[in-house]
Amino acid sequence: MPKAWFIALGVALVLASIGAYCIYHVVMTGIGAWGNNNSVGWAWDITNFVWWIGIGHAGTLISAILYLMRQQWRTSINRAAEAMTIFAVMCAGIFPIIHTGRPWLAWWMIPHPNDMQMWPQFRSPLMWDVFAISTYATTSILFWYMGLVPDLATFRDRSKTKLKQAIYGVLALGWRGSARQWHRYERAYLILAALSTPLVLSVHSVVSFDFATSLNPGWHTTIFPPYFVAGAIFSGFAMVMTLMIPARYLFGLKHIIKAEHIEAMCKVTLATGMMVGFAYSVEFFIAWYSGSEYEQFTFINRSTGPFWWSWLSMVTCNVIVPQFFWFKKCRTNPWIIIVLCLLINVGMWFERFVIIATSLSRQFLPSSWSYYWPTKYDVGVFIGTMGLFLTLFLLFIRFLPAVAISEVKNTLPEAHAGKDH
Amino acid sequence: MSAAHEASLHPDEKYKAGKMGQKVVTGGLVGFVVLTALSWLLSGSAAGHTADGTGHSRFFYGYLIGWTFILSIALGALLYVLIHHLVKAKWSTSTRRVAEILAGTFPIIAIGGLVIIIPLLAGRDDIYWWANKGFDHAEHVSASKHTWLSPAFFAVRYVIYFAAWIGLARYFTVRSRKQDETGDLALSKQMQFFSAPAVIIFALTICYAAFDFLMTLAPQWWSTIYGVNYFGGAMIAGYASIALLSMILQRTGRLQRSITTEHYHDLGKMVFAFTFFWAYTAFSQFMLIWYANVAEETVFYNYRMFGEGWKWVSIVLTFGQWLIPFVLLMSRWSKRILPLFAVFCVWQLCFHWLDLYWNVMPNYHWGAEAHGAAHLVTGPLTGPVGENNVNFSPVDITTWFALIALFIAGIGRGLKGNLIPVKDPNLGASVAHENY
């Protein structure tokens, strides 16, 4: 086991502990501990929430849509990407739950018969989020776990200690690899892939509804759903590469996660990045074309107002940075890829920040205009979710099959004797 | 090497177009002229807009619907070619020439579009309210719209769009046909290399063309997703037309062995996928506007949801363009039983036309009100909602058929030489393609 893994886990746990302390403080004190104010009522917390949900999207795209399109290169990365989806959704969920102010009552959002005369407000897009994201989490976990079953059986069979055999044996659900089991497995996998495909579109579309159903200039625009989906996949792929490139070196996976797979991911990142840039330009154009002075003000304010620096970071990282992926050299050099992907993740965080904080700080009523500045607890909780994500990812990569063994075997040339595909 | 590619085709395979193209061109042009003349006569003698839905404006509105319909097919086919090269696809090689033929219709569509552009430049306002004098005095119209919506600037953009589309289609078709002769692999590389910037040009032009040709019919209204929604419809139309033209060519005894059920199955999957995508964009536009309930935006749906007759068109469209094909195309068999698949392709094309009809025709009724002594036209989507009837006219159909005839003439121009890229290095893999 590489020493680097222990060091990384140590760092991740420290970050997670910082987050745990900050969450404790925020819950005990109230969300006034954050920098949110009356004008900017959604700020870092919702920015982080949307960012984390977006990070998870690469996993679903890779596991579902690329599967339906028979893109066999996906098999080297799908397992890890699916795991990232689940961990990212867990991190995302923390923010709105704390934001409710009384997280111990968050279960009230689930519609259930009760004698409190309590019922969720189904007309609120925030409730749609609850259903969209819980469906997403459930389906992703099912898909991920089902894919794991044959590989867990391999772990069970290769384990040397009784304890490991028992644990992996229970997790493998009695998998024997019979033809009948494989037949059912393949059918179930296809059905789950088909069910997950609309989820790739729906989850971030519903997240975009949180904004787009409002009357707020800069929020209320019809291109938001596909634009959010493209942005989510963009940031998700950047995150997958950020983590998988070091992982393939540390765990000796270079012959499985090949350079051309990384290159393909760079191309997907470039394509989705261009879609995001395209959506920015359409928004700008329509703000001008519409003649609505509020829309026009919002877009001018974003680029030249008090939060100009966040707008500039967003455009630089999301529109300019991915352009480097046009060059093969940038798609094949791991250091360049990691730097570009980190910048893209920063850019996508700023995109949500621009949408949320900038728009809220300059609404219709100038008397309520304000500025937003995060407190150390905003930063702490965010760092904590980073730590949680990394901890879970490191544990996953250590104790579970990080590459879909059975699927990779299927794509090897030996599996197709006499066939050219 | 080239011999090996040709060997991937069955020795008995007929893949030469022969002289069929000439007859198709003649037939198409005659059909276009006759049907256009008939439509003009049917539209009556009154000039401009009339309350009962007759008049020459009706002809122009019908013409615009038919024209954007055939344009969308060509655009869908063009993207098929671009994506094929961009992702280095193999399965789509054997139907790629069919797509290239469909995308080769841009020059004739550009000429057909002059029926819309020339009257506009001559100062007529038969279609676009912003060409009307009343527009200059209208309330709630910003300076930006006066800049963007001037006939001359509109015509300039028209030239830019078609220069881009004709240029893209020619770039790929010329190289593809050249490869038929030389078998040069460098041509495939060239096309792959250029496909990425080509997709960007395509995305920008289709989106802004949809804004220009369709969204500006109601210049008071806007929606950022509008271009994406037109793109979704264009992709349905493109894939359905590729499948239909392939079937028609196969009925002439050609391409019997190189286009198989497997290709139709995959084309069907794309029709299904874009049916979903189109509905997704249509829903995004509708739901967000309905929910936010801002008067400037809801006006678009107000006339389509509550206008007499229009509400039924909206309901029929929801079921016809989305729900019914969505459920039925999910099955493997509706894509693999070819007569059934052909029905679905025609079905989706008809409903795609209805979608454009639904987008365009409610703008036909222009309100008017007195401003002192002057009687000003207040433009589309003004006046009482209830009076905005569908007022279906036979002209709406005859103009559609006229444009289809023009499109067929355009297809005829491409029906020459090989109907399949015979020396494409991926042809063998494509012919042997199997869904598993």
Side-chain angles (χ1 to χ4, degrees):
Chain A
M1 197 189 313
K3 203 196 274 177
W5 183 83
F6 280 109
I7 298 169
L9 186 70
V11 172
L13 282 172
V14 170
L15 297 179
S17 312
I18 294 173
Y21 168 72
C22 291
I23 291 172
Y24 168 79
H25 180 83
V26 171
V27 170
M28 297 311 282
T29 328
I31 54 169
W34 280 340
N36 305 21
N37 54 47
N38 278 345
S39 304
V40 188
W42 286 359
W44 265 58
D45 48 346
I46 304 299
T47 301
N48 297 338
F49 158 71
V50 180
W51 186 78
W52 273 121
I53 289 285
I55 294 296
H57 269 58
T60 325
L61 182 97
I62 292 167
S63 51
I65 293 189
L66 294 189
Y67 176 76
L68 291 182
M69 292 187 167
R70 318 284 190 206
Q71 295 296 307
Q72 292 181 338
W73 63 273
R74 72 181 259 294
T75 52
S76 69
I77 46 162
N78 72 333
R79 175 68 46 71
E82 284 167 26
M84 283 186 218
T85 299
I86 296 161
F87 305 150
V89 173
M90 288 162 74
C91 292
I94 290 173
F95 293 97
I97 289 175
I98 301 176
H99 192 104
T100 58
R102 293 177 179 79
W104 54 91
L105 298 178
W107 59 280
W108 282 6
M109 287 186 283
I110 300 162
H112 59 284
N114 61 78
D115 55 9
M116 301 181 289
Q117 304 275 311
M118 279 277 304
W119 199 241
Q121 173 55 282
F122 287 108
R123 280 176 289 189
S124 162
L126 305 182
M127 276 313 299
W128 308 343
D129 256 357
V130 173
F131 302 119
I133 290 165
S134 51
T135 309
Y136 185 47
T138 314
T139 314
S140 299
I141 291 169
L142 273 178
F143 202 13
W144 178 70
Y145 187 72
M146 211 199 71
L148 270 171
V149 167
D151 295 350
L152 288 169
T154 307
F155 271 35
R156 171 198 65 199
D157 299 342
R158 293 198 175 187
S159 296
K160 300 223 164 60
T161 64
K162 283 272 176 222
L163 183 66
K164 278 187 182 175
Q165 282 171 356
I167 293 172
Y168 287 123
V170 169
L171 291 174
L173 304 176
W175 180 266
R176 287 287 175 275
S178 69
R180 183 186 296 191
Q181 284 183 339
W182 273 113
H183 179 70
R184 289 185 182 163
Y185 171 88
E186 293 282 345
R187 299 300 293 173
Y189 201 92
L190 182 67
I191 291 168
L192 276 174
L195 284 176
S196 301
T197 299
L199 282 177
V200 178
L201 293 180
S202 71
V203 178
H204 230 58
S205 297
V206 173
V207 171
S208 83
F209 292 164
D210 294 347
F211 306 98
T213 49
S214 74
L215 299 178
N216 224 5
W219 282 19
H220 175 62
T221 184
T222 50
I223 207 169
F224 254 33
Y227 152 44
F228 266 51
V229 171
I233 295 166
F234 178 53
S235 64
F237 267 86
M239 182 62 101
V240 170
M241 284 195 279
T242 312
L243 292 182
M244 290 318 282
I245 289 173
R248 69 193 273 268
Y249 283 98
L250 287 176
F251 290 90
L253 296 171
K254 274 159 71 176
H255 63 294
I256 294 172
I257 305 171
K258 293 181 183 161
E260 61 251 40
H261 302 156
I262 303 283
E263 210 186 327
M265 285 197 276
C266 291
K267 288 179 185 170
V268 175
T269 310
L270 172 62
T272 44
M274 298 291 285
M275 288 179 202
V276 170
F278 177 68
Y280 293 165
S281 72
V282 169
E283 271 192 321
F284 257 84
F285 169 75
I286 293 289
W288 172 79
Y289 170 84
S290 70
S292 159
E293 56 188 296
Y294 307 104
E295 286 285 331
Q296 290 172 353
F297 170 79
T298 299
F299 284 92
I300 292 167
N301 178 54
R302 278 183 185 177
S303 51
T304 60
F307 285 106
W308 62 270
W309 47 270
S310 61
W311 181 84
L312 194 65
S313 312
M314 168 187 101
V315 172
T316 311
C317 296
N318 293 347
V319 181
I320 298 169
V321 164
Q323 305 307 324
F324 285 99
F325 284 138
W326 284 102
F327 306 103
K328 194 169 178 83
K329 205 166 197 169
C330 299
R331 298 195 303 260
T332 45
N333 182 324
W335 292 105
I336 296 179
I337 299 173
I338 290 208
V339 170
L340 295 179
C341 287
L342 283 172
L343 285 173
I344 289 168
N345 276 316
V346 171
M348 284 308 293
W349 189 89
F350 271 111
E351 179 193 297
R352 280 62 178 255
F353 184 78
V354 166
I355 292 171
I356 294 169
T358 313
S359 304
L360 289 179
S361 69
R362 291 285 181 276
Q363 287 200 62
F364 292 105
L365 205 59
S367 61
S368 66
W369 286 3
S370 71
Y371 197 69
Y372 166 78
W373 201 249
T375 66
K376 60 185 174 188
Y377 296 105
D378 280 293
V379 184
V381 178
F382 185 46
I383 287 177
T385 53
M386 295 268 197
L388 174 66
F389 183 80
L390 285 175
T391 306
L392 291 169
F393 184 73
L394 287 164
L395 291 174
F396 156 75
I397 211 160
R398 172 75 189 83
F399 294 109
L400 286 172
V403 169
I405 307 168
S406 59
E407 289 189 52
V408 169
K409 273 196 228 162
N410 239 328
T411 61
L412 294 177
E414 298 90 305
H416 298 276
K419 274 269 188 185
D420 61 351
H421 61 275
Chain B
M1 187 130 192
S2 58
H5 303 321
E6 277 181 312
S8 56
L9 289 176
H10 193 277
D12 297 337
E13 183 71 323
K14 288 185 199 159
Y15 55 83
K16 297 274 184 197
K19 289 184 179 165
M20 67 195 294
Q22 222 12 275
K23 285 181 204 159
V24 176
V25 173
T26 317
L29 286 179
V30 169
F32 172 67
V33 172
V34 170
L35 284 164
T36 308
L38 178 70
S39 310
W40 184 262
L41 291 174
L42 281 175
S43 68
S45 53
H49 294 256
T50 55
D52 61 352
T54 60
H56 288 158
S57 276
R58 192 74 185 192
F59 165 82
F60 282 109
Y61 266 73
Y63 193 93
L64 178 70
I65 297 167
W67 185 76
T68 47
F69 173 80
I70 60 170
L71 176 65
S72 68
I73 297 176
L75 285 166
L78 176 61
L79 192 66
Y80 175 98
V81 177
L82 302 186
I83 293 289
H84 170 89
H85 292 297
L86 183 67
V87 304
K88 300 185 182 127
K90 291 192 173 111
W91 74 269
S92 45
T93 309
S94 51
T95 42
R96 201 187 70 218
R97 182 59 47 80
V98 174
E100 286 165 0
I101 291 168
L102 290 169
T105 53
F106 282 117
I108 214 163
I109 298 173
I111 295 167
L114 295 179
V115 173
I116 298 160
I117 297 293
I118 291 173
L120 189 67
L121 286 173
R124 290 188 61 99
D125 61 355
D126 294 284
I127 302 178
Y128 298 105
W129 173 52
W130 45 263
N132 184 284
K133 288 189 178 60
F135 186 68
D136 292 337
H137 310 288
E139 290 171 22
H140 310 301
V141 174
S142 62
S144 54
K145 282 185 184 155
H146 287 298
T147 313
W148 189 257
L149 301 175
S150 71
F153 190 25
F154 189 85
V156 169
R157 294 198 300 273
Y158 181 87
V159 172
I160 292 171
Y161 298 144
F162 276 96
W165 297 329
I166 292 171
L168 288 179
R170 263 192 74 79
Y171 181 91
F172 288 94
T173 311
V174 165
R175 275 159 188 76
S176 174
R177 296 245 183 205
K178 201 170 162 193
Q179 197 177 45
D180 281 7
E181 293 157 19
T182 63
D184 187 1
L185 290 180
L187 291 165
S188 291
K189 291 278 169 214
Q190 275 180 25
M191 290 191 276
Q192 283 167 5
F193 184 79
F194 185 59
S195 60
V199 168
I200 297 171
I201 298 169
F202 176 87
L204 285 169
T205 46
I206 192 175
C207 177
Y208 284 85
F211 287 157
D212 277 337
F213 299 143
L214 296 170
M215 200 172 83
T216 67
L217 284 165
Q220 320 91 312
W221 183 80
W222 67 85
S223 164
T224 43
I225 207 173
Y226 199 85
V228 184
N229 183 238
Y230 181 70
F231 158 76
M235 294 313 292
I236 300 174
Y239 280 107
S241 301
I242 292 167
L244 282 176
L245 183 56
S246 303
M247 287 180 207
I248 292 166
L249 290 173
Q250 286 195 314
R251 280 184 76 93
T252 68
R254 295 168 175 86
L255 307 177
Q256 293 292 317
R257 294 176 178 84
S258 14
I259 299 178
T260 66
T261 311
E262 306 299 330
H263 299 110
Y264 290 115
H265 187 177
D266 274 355
L267 288 168
K269 287 178 194 168
M270 297 313 278
V271 173
F272 172 76
F274 279 101
T275 296
F276 185 85
F277 182 79
W278 171 85
Y280 164 69
T281 55
F283 174 75
S284 298
Q285 179 172 286
F286 165 71
M287 199 282 287
L288 292 175
I289 288 176
W290 169 78
Y291 193 107
N293 204 10
V294 181
E296 288 96 320
E297 296 175 358
T298 47
V299 64
F300 182 86
Y301 287 103
N302 199 17
Y303 284 86
R304 285 163 179 82
M305 283 169 77
F306 306 109
E308 197 54 50
W310 281 114
K311 61 184 166 200
W312 293 108
V313 177
S314 302
I315 291 167
V316 167
L317 191 60
T318 311
F319 278 84
Q321 173 87 324
W322 173 57
L323 200 61
I324 294 171
F326 176 74
V327 172
L328 296 180
L329 273 175
M330 214 181 288
S331 159
R332 183 180 177 85
W333 301 112
S334 54
K335 290 164 287 201
R336 291 183 76 93
I337 300 172
L338 294 190
L340 192 58
F341 181 47
V343 169
F344 275 111
C345 290
V346 174
W347 173 286
Q348 280 304 63
L349 283 169
C350 290
F351 277 99
H352 173 54
W353 174 82
L354 188 67
D355 173 35
L356 293 168
Y357 189 84
W358 178 90
N359 267 282
V360 172
M361 213 47 110
N363 300 308
Y364 178 78
H365 294 264
W366 289 4
E369 64 189 44
H371 279 253
H375 197 64
L376 284 182
V377 171
T378 51
L381 308 189
T382 50
V385 173
E387 288 173 17
N388 191 311
N389 299 329
V390 178
N391 277 336
F392 178 78
S393 157
V395 182
D396 305 343
I397 296 290
T398 52
T399 43
W400 179 31
F401 287 171
L403 269 304
I404 290 175
L406 182 74
F407 189 64
I408 289 170
I411 292 172
R413 282 181 67 241
L415 291 176
K416 58 188 178 195
N418 300 324
L419 294 172
I420 198 158
V422 282
K423 289 186 185 170
D424 190 292
N426 289 324
L427 184 61
S430 177
V431 172
H433 171 63
E434 272 179 54
N435 281 291
Y436 56 93

